[in-house]
Structure formats: structure tokens, C-alpha cells
Amino acid sequence: MKTALITGASSGIGEAIARLFADNKIDLILCGRSKNRLSIIEQELSKKVNITTAYFDVRNRKEVEEALAPVLENNSIDILVNNAGNAHGMAPIHKGSLEDWDAMIDGNVKGLLYVSKPIIDQMVERKTGQIINVGSIAGKEVYPNGNVYCASKHAVDAINNGMRLDLNPYGIRVSQISPGLVNTGFSSIRFKGDKVKADATYNGMEPLYAEDIAEVALFMISRPAHVNISDVIVLPTAQASATVVKRG
Ligand code: 8X3
């Protein structure tokens, strides 16, 4: 029985991965900020596999360290899914908010590193493990008004490659999934609850669903030990690039 630790597991892509992994008999350590939401998922999935929950904000280094220490004492992590992350605001660079920039750099980049550090230490010691970093098409292309969000996802792309290079001697697999438009709470957070703007993101086209990304994660972890799916860009059929989307 393998154990996967998933960040941002209380909704969206993280929740979908948790559900699919549980269906495939993988024990789970579900991490998130929202106790209410996560405990509902915990109750449901604990009928299928062993579930541990850890509550922390990836942006808070002390919180991450304190929450993960007991988890790692009691569990060996076979699979780390670095999924937590968000876009905050979508404005030209001269109109961007420093708070939004901090939130994206702190969450998408520094948070990913805070979580990865102690788990990588354990994987290196055990000389085994698999890391899946959830990147974005925004980590492959920069688009208008994406500036700092794109920068944060380009950083994830670089960190993913860096992890794969440095962890190569230890037999650790490192993979990235880079989705395009996925219909989750992502746009609602990006546009700060403005439903009209959030819905417009997916107007006249069929986006991906969180489950589509979960399927890719399951494929990655179910390959034989000698196969590492290192990087997958997943787009809706209607999306040809970050900016080219067929609508209507
Ligand atoms: C989310 C996809 O296209 O909004 O990372 O950047 S996109």
C-alpha cells in the first residue's frame, strides 16, 4: 500500500486527485487550510483507505514545519503531490497589487518548497519516491495580465526540472502536470469572487475538469518503476495555447 501526501486537497484538482487515488487504494495524507471541507472529504474517503489530515497554510513556513513533522514521523511518503497554489488578480503589471504578488510568490513558489523540503529529505534517505508538481500552461507561456502568476508557474517549471536533476541519484521520480483552463474554483479566486468575470473564463468553450487532471496523475503513479512521465501539458480541445481559445 502506497501513501500519497496531497496539498490543496480540500477542493479542485487536489480533491479530485485524492478521490481517484483513494479509489485506487492509495493511503492519503490530505493537507489544506479549510478544516470543515477537508474533514468531510476525510470522512468519506476513510471508508476506502487510511486517511491522515494536516492543516496548514503553505505560505507559513513555521505552520508547515510544525504540521509536517509529526506526519513524517509516523508515515513514509511514497508520492508527494504539490498541488496547492492559486492566481490572485489579473492586471497589467503597472496596476498589480503587492498583496496579490506576495500571495502568489509565497504560495505557489515558497510554499511548494516549504512542503517539499522535509519530504524530499525523507525520500532521499529512503532512496525512493515520486513527486508530482502541478504547474500550468502559465509556466510555459507568459500571457497579457498574467505577469506574476506566470512568473510563479515558470518557477514551478524550473523547480520541477531542478528536482528531477538533483534527485536523479536517489531514484526519485519527478513529474509535472501543466494544465490549461480547468473549471475549478481557480477563476473565482483569481477574480476575487467576481462571478461574471470568473464564468467568462469558460464562456462558449468546454474547459477541462479537475478529474481530467487527476487521471493524468494516476497514470503517472501507476507506471512501472523504470518509467517517469516527466512533464505533461494538458489543454482542453478548445484551447490551443494560453491565449488561443475557440469559443462558440
Ligand atoms: C491556470 C491556467 O490559463 O489561467 O493555471 O493560466 S491559465
Side-chain angles (χ1 to χ4, degrees):
M1 198 84 134
K2 286 196 169 177
T3 300
L5 184 144
I6 304 170
T7 64
S10 60
S11 63
I13 292 172
E15 178 184 354
I17 292 176
R19 290 182 180 282
L20 193 60
F21 280 14
D23 287 343
N24 287 271
K25 300 279 166 267
I26 292 162
D27 287 336
L28 296 172
I29 296 157
L30 303 177
C31 306
R33 278 177 299 173
S34 149
K35 219 169 201 162
N36 289 348
R37 182 87 192 108
L38 209 53
S39 59
I40 294 169
I41 298 169
E42 177 189 18
Q43 263 183 23
E44 218 184 303
L45 299 188
S46 60
K47 290 174 194 136
K48 300 179 182 171
V49 291
N50 293 315
I51 308 275
T52 303
T53 47
Y55 300 101
F56 55 83
D57 183 340
V58 296
R59 290 177 288 188
N60 186 322
R61 180 173 159 185
K62 198 159 172 280
E63 249 182 64
V64 173
E65 284 169 358
E66 285 177 5
L68 286 186
V71 168
L72 294 178
E73 238 172 61
N74 296 317
N75 299 275
S76 296
I77 311 299
D78 301 295
I79 301 154
L80 163 63
V81 182
N82 275 321
N83 162 73
N86 270 310
H88 298 276
M90 197 180 183
I93 195 82
H94 53 292
K95 293 193 176 153
S97 121
L98 286 169
E99 284 71 33
D100 285 344
W101 294 354
D102 276 344
M104 291 186 280
I105 301 287
D106 289 350
N108 303 358
V109 185
K110 291 166 72 180
L112 182 148
L113 293 169
Y114 295 159
V115 172
S116 299
K117 177 72 174 88
I119 297 171
I120 286 175
D121 287 345
Q122 194 194 56
M123 287 180 174
V124 164
E125 204 175 291
R126 295 175 64 221
K127 291 196 171 49
T128 182
Q130 182 163 17
I131 301 170
I132 298 178
N133 294 305
V134 178
S136 169
I137 186 67
K140 306 289 183 182
E141 296 176 47
V142 180
Y143 50 83
N145 304 327
N147 46 67
V148 177
Y149 177 67
C150 295
S152 74
K153 287 297 183 174
H154 273 67
V156 173
D157 191 52
I159 291 166
N160 182 68
N161 289 331
M163 283 179 176
R164 198 173 50 254
L165 292 167
D166 295 346
L167 300 177
N168 171 268
Y170 305 98
I172 296 167
R173 295 193 277 189
V174 180
S175 317
Q176 176 173 239
I177 307 176
S178 300
L181 295 166
V182 188
N183 196 353
T184 59
F186 176 85
S187 288
S188 169
I189 293 169
R190 170 174 253 175
F191 295 113
K192 303 179 194 302
D194 184 329
K195 198 171 156 13
V196 175
K197 277 190 184 168
D199 289 350
T201 310
Y202 313 113
N203 265 353
M205 56 90 65
E206 183 166 14
L208 297 167
Y209 304 101
E211 292 72 21
D212 298 318
I213 306 306
E215 295 276 0
V216 178
L218 180 67
F219 183 73
M220 285 171 160
I221 64 158
S222 56
R223 293 312 85 211
H226 68 286
V227 180
N228 180 39
I229 309 293
S230 63
D231 204 351
V232 176
I233 298 176
V234 193
L235 301 173
T237 303
Q239 183 178 21
S241 76
T243 51
V244 176
V245 180
K246 179 177 178 287
R247 298 183 193 269

